[in-house]
Amino acid sequence: MTTLPAQWKAFFLTGLLCLWLSQAVAWCEGTWRDDFDDICAKTDQAMTLTLPELTLLVERCGALQKVIETQDESVRKVYLKRLQMCRNLYAYMVEFKKNQQPSK
Amino acid sequence: MKKIFLVCAMLLMGSSLLWAAGGSKKRKPLPYDFGAVTISNYSQQAGMAPVVFDHWVHRKNYTCRVCHVDIGFGMTANSTKIRATDNAKGYFCGSCHNGKSTLNKSKIFASCATSYSREEYGRCQRCHALEKDPAREEAFFSFLATMPKETFGNGINWEKAEDMGALKLVDQVDGISGKRGAMKTQSDFALKSKVDGMPDIIFSHTKHTVWNGCELCHPDIFVGIKKGASKYTMIELFDGKYCGVCHDKVAFPQTDCKRCHAKPV
């Protein structure tokens, strides 16, 4: 079996590394977008969600905000605004539900 | 005599104050212009004319929610700070105006590009319009002819048009709108009128939630979810707050009293 020259090996490894990096970036982007879609898909049912469910959604919005803040300027402009709208609705519903609960 | 002089002086002072405040009567927009928004954040710096955005062209095809929630356009002119690069990357106008997306099986023209040839400059002028385009005006009037009429705004009763099936609005755009669950139907309710003799308001929650979703209005425009939690007056509404965020600007004007004060007496 013939062995590849060292230069070819380095070239092949660099290519593999680039491919892996681009896949990783795409995967990361896909992950936060999936997370965003999952969080904001529940705004239509905000009225019917329970207090713990709403609280969890607000927390998830906070965590996602940090991820979006690291993205490209256009992405930040669009998704931070969209996320804020979802977060504000859930946060308002939390407050509304808390006020509805009978005081102990 | 002294009293008359005092009243005259007060009237004169009042009118001069109004004059100084630029209190000239607001010109009623023409049906064609109603809902048109001029966007001029960065265009002029780039040597382009401002963008004249016609709401009617878009609202005949899409719900408000698609643009103002899913795409992320702000609710006031120039608040979004759209850049050509945002559009070219497929955000804001570029979400649909990308040369690939289709509507009713026809391709939607592409918006901004990072570079363009002399021939392509014509495409820029479709939005960056310096002068009124008679073709667009003509398109409006031929569309108007097919729609149920209304006295105010742009002369179209959009609600009726949708009810009778003349319009079928798109509520989700692939790759832009996230997945949505079934919306809990919100019941319509009546709001007590503050003026004697004026019929109470019938608020169509069902219609508004279908067009806007929940997050467009709550809590940014209406802080209260419970009926009566947001207190407001007609003065605030005419000042562009609460219902005035949309009504008078794009949705039917608030001078069309009977559209809201609709509860039979």
Side-chain angles (χ1 to χ4, degrees):
Chain A
M1 208 175 123
T2 53
T3 51
L4 287 168
Q7 271 179 328
W8 277 101
K9 271 185 190 167
F11 181 72
F12 182 71
L13 278 172
T14 316
L16 213 64
L17 193 72
C18 287
L19 190 75
W20 177 80
L21 272 172
S22 63
Q23 289 296 310
V25 168
W27 181 81
C28 283
E29 197 170 312
T31 313
W32 75 256
R33 268 299 305 266
D34 292 345
D35 210 17
F36 173 86
D37 285 344
D38 187 50
I39 295 170
C40 291
K42 294 179 179 73
T43 52
D44 285 349
Q45 292 100 47
M47 293 283 281
T48 57
L49 297 174
T50 62
L51 192 54
E53 283 171 330
L54 287 162
T55 315
L56 181 68
L57 283 168
V58 174
E59 281 165 13
R60 285 179 69 192
C61 284
L64 186 59
Q65 187 184 334
K66 286 180 188 134
V67 179
I68 299 175
E69 274 165 359
T70 62
Q71 304 297 312
D72 150 59
E73 194 198 337
S74 304
V75 176
R76 284 202 309 266
K77 229 194 279 187
V78 174
Y79 285 95
L80 284 178
K81 185 185 186 296
R82 287 179 66 180
L83 187 73
Q84 193 193 15
M85 286 171 95
C86 302
R87 196 206 164 275
N88 288 355
L89 179 70
Y90 296 140
Y92 184 76
M93 284 311 300
V94 167
E95 209 175 304
F96 174 71
K97 297 233 167 180
K98 273 184 187 166
N99 290 339
Q100 260 196 336
Q101 279 179 346
S103 50
K104 285 168 193 169
Chain B
M1 188 68 188
K2 257 187 182 176
K3 260 186 187 173
I4 295 170
F5 180 74
L6 200 71
V7 169
C8 285
M10 278 172 77
L11 277 173
L12 200 70
M13 218 160 75
S15 57
S16 41
L17 272 174
L18 278 174
W19 181 264
S24 57
K25 202 179 166 190
K26 220 166 133 188
R27 194 177 68 88
K28 194 179 146 198
L30 293 167
Y32 167 71
D33 286 328
F34 186 81
V37 176
T38 306
I39 307 165
S40 58
N41 290 127
Y42 308 108
S43 307
Q44 277 152 316
Q45 285 147 270
M48 306 284 271
V51 169
V52 179
F53 173 83
D54 287 325
H55 256 107
W56 74 267
V57 177
H58 295 81
R59 74 176 291 200
K60 71 181 170 64
N61 298 314
Y62 301 95
T63 59
C64 315
R65 189 184 197 186
V66 168
C67 301
H68 292 285
V69 175
D70 298 346
I71 298 178
F73 284 110
M75 294 296 281
T76 46
N78 294 309
S79 65
T80 316
K81 308 267 188 284
I82 312 156
R83 282 185 183 276
T85 45
D86 299 328
N87 292 335
K89 280 189 225 165
Y91 298 103
F92 299 118
C93 312
S95 306
C96 300
H97 287 276
N98 48 31
K100 287 177 235 152
S101 298
T102 55
L103 177 74
N104 303 328
K105 289 177 189 162
S106 42
K107 214 174 248 186
I108 303 170
F109 70 90
S111 55
C112 310
T114 40
S115 62
Y116 51 88
S117 64
R118 190 176 279 271
E119 290 75 42
E120 282 175 319
Y121 182 66
R123 201 183 74 210
C124 309
Q125 287 177 311
R126 290 188 73 160
C127 306
H128 292 272
L130 194 64
E131 281 163 18
K132 269 192 178 181
D133 183 359
R136 278 164 88 162
E137 207 165 327
E138 210 177 292
F140 171 76
F141 286 109
S142 23
F143 171 68
L144 176 73
T146 62
M147 291 289 121
K149 303 287 175 292
E150 183 56 83
T151 324
F152 299 95
N154 46 22
I156 300 166
N157 189 326
W158 295 91
E159 194 178 347
K160 207 169 166 185
E162 210 192 336
D163 286 345
M164 59 192 251
L167 294 176
K168 283 188 177 64
L169 304 181
V170 176
D171 188 38
Q172 269 191 310
V173 175
D174 289 341
I176 306 292
S177 315
K179 54 178 193 268
R180 282 176 191 149
M183 192 187 286
K184 184 180 179 276
T185 313
Q186 300 296 315
S187 17
D188 298 350
F189 55 84
L191 292 165
K192 193 110 191 82
S193 168
K194 287 173 186 163
V195 179
D196 287 340
M198 182 64 99
D200 289 347
I201 298 153
I202 301 283
F203 176 76
S204 172
H205 216 157
T206 323
K207 274 276 176 215
H208 283 80
T209 43
V210 168
W211 288 328
N212 306 330
C214 309
E215 65 269 52
L216 193 61
C217 303
H218 301 291
D220 289 358
I221 301 173
F222 291 95
V223 181
I225 282 182
K226 204 174 176 186
K227 185 185 148 189
S230 289
K231 302 273 181 212
Y232 42 86
T233 62
M234 281 307 298
I235 296 167
E236 287 171 305
L237 266 52
F238 279 117
D239 200 25
K241 290 171 191 152
Y242 304 106
C243 315
V245 170
C246 302
H247 290 276
D248 274 349
K249 290 172 188 156
V250 177
F252 66 82
Q254 296 170 109
T255 40
D256 197 354
C257 315
K258 64 176 182 356
R259 288 287 297 270
C260 301
H261 291 270
K263 194 176 179 185
V265 186

